[in-house]
Amino acid sequence: MRQPVGTWLNGIVDDQSSSPPAIEFDGVTYRHPNGPLVLDDFSLAIGRGDTLALVGRSGMGKTTILKLINRLLLPNSGLVKVEGRTTSSWDAIHLRRRIGYVLQEVGLFPHMSIARNVAVVPHLEGWPQEQITRRVDELLNLVGLDPAVFRSRYPRELSGGQRQRVGVARALAVDPPILLMDEPFGSLDPLTRAEMHQEFHRIQSQVRKTIVCVTHDMGEAFALGTKLGVLAKGRLAALAPPAEIIHSDDPEVKVFLDALPKVEIRENTKQTK
């Protein structure tokens, strides 16, 4: 098997520890049925505890990568591995319960209370009610929502930012080691979005998950990622920490960088050093 690549801008392969990466793509090709090629000989290794922000134009395969990780899709060729095992060898339900998923539209069940929304997977796992109640309160506190106030409310009674916090709590309910985020804050107003970015870092500092976040917004990628990957033509145009990626000469990377105010680049790279 060829060595998975997490190529830095200087061409050196990103050195992972001796344990297998949390997520690994090795020579993956994926084409939509009767449609275009999305990923072409795509390779990537994501270390445990890393936060990788993937940015790219529409149709470049960002959401496809997330679906390949949690086995909603299988590659046409190549291997996708989670915790050292190919996704095809995992039981799909068991795999997905080890992966939290945060969506842009959150997807809360409107007829369920906030507590019930957070506890969906623990209920499916057959947890005792006392344990579920403790976990719900723990997670609501973690995302900055007072359980005494929000536990019995319904999604319609919450603001967009509050619903997004509940979505994060639900994704963390059974303490999965991996968290996937698909344009998680794209529907929020700029001020709430900035607040959620700060909350994201606070929560990650406590839970230390392996996170893959896809976005079309380079500013958000700078704000969230310890590493940034730029997708173009089915492959990675660049993969590096934010402080390094600003020096890329790749035309596709420069398109995204040129869309950012210089002060935003400067401030965001400071945060990641």
Side-chain angles (χ1 to χ4, degrees):
M1 185 178 77
R2 28 179 241 167
Q3 187 174 10
V5 297
T7 308
W8 300 92
L9 294 173
N10 60 7
I12 299 174
V13 173
D14 183 8
D15 183 28
Q16 299 293 340
S17 67
S18 57
S19 62
I23 300 167
E24 182 180 349
F25 286 71
D26 184 13
V28 169
T29 297
Y30 182 80
R31 181 186 299 274
H32 288 306
N34 302 315
L37 184 67
V38 181
L39 297 177
D40 181 17
D41 196 26
F42 181 84
S43 293
L44 169 68
I46 304 170
R48 296 167 192 262
D50 279 349
T51 299
L52 173 65
L54 285 173
V55 66
R57 301 171 188 262
S58 296
M60 289 294 104
K62 301 186 299 296
T63 299
T64 297
I65 287 171
L66 298 187
K67 290 181 177 180
L68 286 163
I69 293 170
N70 73 355
R71 204 186 154 176
L72 288 171
L73 298 173
L74 291 172
N76 299 126
S77 63
L79 300 175
V80 180
K81 293 183 179 180
V82 174
E83 298 179 335
R85 294 175 54 187
T86 61
T87 53
S88 60
S89 70
W90 279 89
D91 173 79
I93 299 300
H94 182 56
L95 173 64
R96 289 168 197 156
R97 289 185 184 171
R98 290 188 62 76
I99 299 174
Y101 213 142
V102 182
L103 303 171
Q104 178 176 347
E105 299 301 327
V106 187
L108 300 181
F109 297 107
H111 62 289
M112 290 185 181
S113 68
I114 298 309
R116 286 286 296 178
N117 266 285
V118 174
V120 166
V121 178
H123 275 294
L124 292 172
E125 292 282 278
W127 287 19
Q129 185 56 51
E130 183 180 347
Q131 182 183 1
I132 289 175
T133 300
R134 286 198 309 269
R135 183 61 173 162
V136 167
D137 288 357
E138 177 186 13
L139 288 166
L140 289 178
N141 279 316
L142 177 68
V143 299
L145 298 174
D146 184 350
V149 174
F150 290 94
R151 190 189 302 115
S152 60
R153 290 188 180 180
Y154 286 81
R156 64 180 179 274
E157 301 175 276
L158 274 57
S159 69
Q162 290 168 340
R163 288 194 297 272
Q164 200 67 54
R165 290 168 189 253
V166 175
V168 173
R170 183 177 62 182
L172 294 172
V174 293
D175 199 22
I178 296 170
L179 192 63
L180 306 180
M181 309 181 79
D182 193 353
E183 302 279 3
F185 311 124
S187 62
L188 302 177
D189 65 83
L191 181 58
T192 304
R193 197 176 188 185
E195 292 172 347
M196 287 301 300
H197 290 166
Q198 293 300 316
E199 283 296 292
F200 171 89
H201 287 293
R202 180 184 66 80
I203 293 168
Q204 172 65 338
S205 70
Q206 296 182 53
V207 298
R208 297 307 302 168
K209 304 297 181 185
T210 300
I211 299 176
V212 183
C213 177
V214 303
T215 179
H216 65 277
D217 183 337
M218 192 64 145
E220 182 157 85
F222 268 89
L224 299 181
T226 57
K227 294 180 184 177
L228 271 64
V230 180
L231 293 166
K233 299 178 181 177
R235 298 188 180 186
L236 281 168
L239 175 65
E244 294 185 29
I245 212 162
I246 60 172
H247 302 297
S248 173
D249 292 325
D250 185 277
E252 192 66 28
V253 179
K254 288 180 70 64
V255 165
F256 284 98
L257 292 175
D258 289 345
L260 280 176
K262 299 307 177 188
V263 65
E264 184 172 359
I265 294 178
R266 189 161 58 247
E267 289 303 315
N268 284 331
T269 53
K270 281 181 186 177
Q271 294 176 19
T272 60
K273 289 182 180 179

